[in-house]
Amino acid sequence: MEQNIGERAISFLRCLEVYDFAGCRAMCTSGAIVWQNDGRGARTIDATLRRFKAFAADVDTLRYDVVRQFRNTNEVLQQQVLHLSAADGSQTRVHAAVCFRFEDDGLIDRIEEYIYEVPAAGTP
């Protein structure tokens, strides 16, 4: 049975959790782009995955919790929290609202991510 787009959006996050960047890439169109609210504009999915891979190299564990999700025909909007643990024991949460846009073939064509970082309780 084929996944619905809500499940595909979550599968993309699960691939990130296990550092399966090839799996993430396979879920996207050849021209997929990612926009984040960091002031740098849109990037290709390949550039974004390279950036995430470099970021994740300093992280012991990462886990996504999807707080809520809304779907229409070709888009998924979800509120999510990325929980990060570093080797030194520090923890961080990255809260985000993310919109995934899918093409007719079920592949991700655009991701828009509005993020902010919050130190976990008890972390300096």
Side-chain angles (χ1 to χ4, degrees):
M1 178 182 213
E2 188 173 312
Q3 288 181 314
N4 70 42
I5 61 174
E7 291 167 341
R8 288 187 61 78
I10 292 172
S11 291
F12 184 86
L13 300 180
R14 299 300 172 239
C15 285
L16 288 174
E17 287 177 339
V18 296
Y19 308 101
D20 179 6
F21 303 111
C24 288
R25 184 63 185 94
M27 296 179 71
C28 299
T29 64
S30 61
I33 59 170
V34 179
W35 177 91
Q36 291 179 314
N37 64 325
D38 60 5
R40 297 181 184 181
R43 295 179 193 90
T44 66
I45 188 67
D46 297 308
T48 301
L49 290 173
R50 281 192 304 274
R51 186 172 177 231
F52 191 89
K53 184 177 181 178
F55 158 78
D58 295 331
V59 175
D60 263 7
T61 61
L62 57 95
R63 177 181 48 85
Y64 284 94
D65 286 332
V66 175
V67 177
R68 70 183 92 184
Q69 185 185 78
F70 304 94
R71 296 178 299 277
N72 67 22
T73 305
N74 68 333
E75 292 180 313
V76 173
L77 175 64
Q78 61 190 34
Q79 180 184 358
Q80 61 192 39
V81 180
L82 172 57
H83 300 269
L84 303 162
S85 298
D88 66 2
S90 62
Q91 298 182 1
T92 302
R93 294 180 308 227
V94 180
H95 294 254
V98 181
C99 182
F100 294 87
R101 185 179 69 206
F102 292 82
E103 290 294 314
D104 292 337
D105 54 7
L107 296 176
I108 299 167
D109 188 56
R110 182 177 177 88
I111 301 172
E112 293 184 17
E113 186 173 39
Y114 303 82
I115 62 174
Y116 63 97
E117 188 175 322
V118 178
T123 301

